Amino acid sequence: QKGEIGMGKILNNIRKKVYGSVYIAGLILNRNKRQVCTNMSKSLCLSHDKVYRSLKMNIDKLVLFNNAIKKIVKLIGNNQRGNIIIDDTGVSKFNSFFTEAVSSFYNVIKNKLDYGFKIFVIVWTDGKNVIPLGFRYYLSKDISEDLYKTKLEILKELLDEVGHLSNFSHLLGDGHFSTIEIMKTLINRQITFVFKIAKNKKVTTEDGISAQIQHHSSFKMQRNQRSKVVPVTYYGMLLYVSVHKFKNLKTLQWNYLYLVSNCYYHAKSYLKLYKQRWNIEVFFRTIKQDFGLAHCQSRSFKIQQAHTRSIFIAYTFFKYHKILDHDESVSDLKQTSIVSSIASFCHNFGYHA
């Protein structure tokens, strides 16, 4: 009982100094359980209201401040240049019809329409570690009305948010982002990108032949050839499309992957870069399964955003702690150690008032 009282005092002191630190501690101590304030209050030995007030402190705060991103990326990346990945994920809220801003979206995993939120996320990676840099909720026209933002506008906002970050080489994304407007915007901003591109896109090669990528003679490969790069013109843009041939081990048939970039590399280099995009899928799985991205039960859209911000900070703390303590598991720490570590982390990297 004395230990619980002492824990409460520590948390109260940290709560006064650091935005949302109590809620972040709850996310960590309550991992692999349903991430709601009731369960967190039991793990933290605090009342439900105190945990909820800590969450509300994160409403108007950014996920990471600009100088904080630089410090964390510099520490984790060991001053090496990494890459930025952009992708979207769905947060299912099928039974939360009264939650603000929820709408229908296509769930790729379930292969059907779902109900909830769609979030665009941008992260930094060095090929091994992932640091979340920012996110935006994608709202439908019916809900946002005059405040509706297209995919391009959301991407511009996310790029502006991390524009100060100098140690990245490429922007990676799937075929969802290989649109004319997005690629032209990135070229104007002098950002090198590597995206997947649909095989039915019509391109023009140097010999003047225009055809869909899948039917173009320049992309046909010899029997033992596995990849090649072809310079093309696409809506006035000089791009480099690489084709990669691989065998499906289940069907034993040959499949083709097409990648597009505004910078010339060897074909294998494009594939090596694009493989790093899988890191953001692992990140999505972690924040959904371990940190409960979809568990927040509040009807308030602002509270839902604050919950996402807190998860991003908690995940970054995990990565920071793992490197600092030589792969020691955060779960092995005692409650007081976790909370004090979060307080120190937030203070050092710019989360304090």
Side-chain angles (χ1 to χ4, degrees):
Q1 188 176 5
K2 290 183 179 179
E4 292 181 358
I5 295 175
M7 182 67 179
K9 288 183 178 179
I10 293 174
L11 289 167
N12 283 328
N13 291 334
I14 295 173
R15 179 176 59 83
K16 294 176 182 178
K17 298 178 181 179
V18 184
Y19 289 111
S21 59
V22 172
Y23 191 82
I24 297 168
L27 289 171
I28 294 173
L29 293 174
N30 200 49
R31 282 181 70 224
N32 301 319
K33 299 179 182 177
R34 188 157 183 82
Q35 298 285 20
V36 293
C37 291
T38 303
N39 291 342
M40 291 184 199
S41 63
K42 295 177 182 178
S43 300
L44 295 169
C45 304
L46 291 173
S47 67
H48 171 280
D49 293 343
K50 286 186 177 181
V51 177
Y52 183 70
R53 282 197 296 269
S54 176
L55 171 61
K56 291 175 70 175
M57 290 180 183
N58 255 334
I59 288 181
D60 298 321
K61 303 302 172 186
L62 295 175
V63 181
L64 298 173
F65 296 142
N66 291 345
N67 60 339
I69 296 175
K70 287 182 179 180
K71 293 178 183 178
I72 295 171
V73 169
K74 183 178 180 181
L75 172 66
I76 294 180
N78 293 321
N79 294 319
Q80 297 180 0
R81 293 175 66 86
N83 298 303
I84 285 180
I85 310 173
I86 179 76
D87 203 357
D88 65 306
T89 186
V91 180
S92 181
K93 295 279 185 180
F94 193 77
N95 295 320
S96 302
F97 297 104
F98 298 103
T99 304
E100 296 176 353
V102 293
S103 60
S104 59
F105 66 94
Y106 184 76
N107 193 317
V108 179
I109 298 177
K110 297 180 180 178
N111 197 24
K112 65 177 183 179
L113 283 177
D114 206 343
Y115 200 72
F117 297 113
K118 192 172 184 180
I119 307 176
F120 283 85
V121 179
I122 189 167
V123 303
W124 178 91
T125 181
D126 59 356
K128 180 181 178 182
N129 302 297
V130 173
I131 300 299
L133 304 178
F135 70 92
R136 289 291 186 278
Y137 276 74
Y138 179 78
L139 305 178
S140 64
K141 290 184 179 180
D142 297 336
I143 296 174
S144 54
E145 297 179 350
D146 296 337
L147 299 177
Y148 171 75
K149 295 179 181 178
T150 63
K151 183 169 56 177
L152 175 61
E153 291 172 333
I154 292 176
L155 176 61
K156 286 181 178 179
E157 286 187 4
L158 291 173
L159 290 175
D160 291 338
E161 198 168 286
V162 300
H164 63 280
L165 195 63
S166 59
N167 56 336
F168 76 93
S169 303
H170 308 87
L171 176 65
L172 312 177
D174 59 12
H176 195 53
F177 298 94
S178 58
T179 64
I180 302 169
E181 294 80 8
I182 288 178
M183 288 193 290
K184 284 187 175 180
T185 300
L186 296 175
I187 290 174
N188 292 333
R189 294 192 177 206
Q190 298 182 342
I191 296 176
T192 304
F193 59 83
V194 178
F195 294 149
K196 184 180 178 181
I197 188 169
K199 61 183 179 181
N200 61 350
K201 299 294 184 182
K202 189 175 181 179
V203 298
T204 304
T205 52
E206 294 176 341
D207 53 11
I209 300 176
S210 296
Q212 290 185 354
I213 295 176
Q214 60 182 337
H215 300 309
H216 204 295
S217 58
S218 298
F219 292 95
K220 303 299 180 182
M221 291 187 288
Q222 299 177 359
R223 183 172 182 178
N224 295 326
Q225 195 174 9
R226 292 292 180 266
S227 60
K228 67 185 301 186
V229 181
V230 180
V232 302
T233 302
Y234 182 63
Y235 285 88
M237 297 178 287
L238 176 59
L239 302 173
Y240 300 91
V241 178
S242 62
V243 54
H244 306 270
K245 181 181 177 182
F246 58 95
K247 182 173 284 188
N248 190 317
L249 298 179
K250 293 183 178 180
T251 62
L252 299 179
Q253 294 181 347
W254 290 104
N255 293 338
Y256 295 88
L257 172 67
Y258 300 96
L259 303 176
V260 63
S261 178
N262 58 336
C263 188
Y264 178 77
Y265 296 117
H266 189 273
K268 291 183 179 179
S269 298
Y270 292 118
L271 189 60
K272 184 178 180 180
L273 283 169
Y274 187 72
K275 284 182 177 179
Q276 291 189 21
R277 201 200 66 81
W278 182 250
N279 291 337
I280 197 171
E281 302 294 347
V282 177
F283 167 73
F284 287 151
R285 182 185 63 187
T286 302
I287 62 176
K288 288 180 180 180
Q289 294 182 357
D290 293 351
F291 291 95
L293 182 62
H295 291 176
C296 183
Q297 297 179 337
S298 175
R299 295 182 179 181
S300 169
F301 178 60
K302 289 186 176 181
I303 294 296
Q304 293 285 344
Q305 288 180 305
H307 175 71
T308 304
R309 291 190 184 100
S310 301
I311 288 176
F312 276 32
I313 297 173
Y315 178 89
T316 307
F317 169 77
F318 256 63
K319 283 294 181 181
Y320 170 79
H321 176 84
K322 186 176 180 180
I323 292 176
L324 194 66
D325 290 336
H326 308 290
D327 294 337
E328 179 187 353
S329 174
V330 179
S331 303
D332 295 335
L333 290 175
K334 296 180 179 179
Q335 289 183 344
T336 53
S337 300
I338 289 181
V339 178
S340 60
S341 297
I342 293 174
S344 176
F345 172 78
C346 294
H347 179 81
N348 292 337
F349 290 108
Y351 297 114
H352 58 286

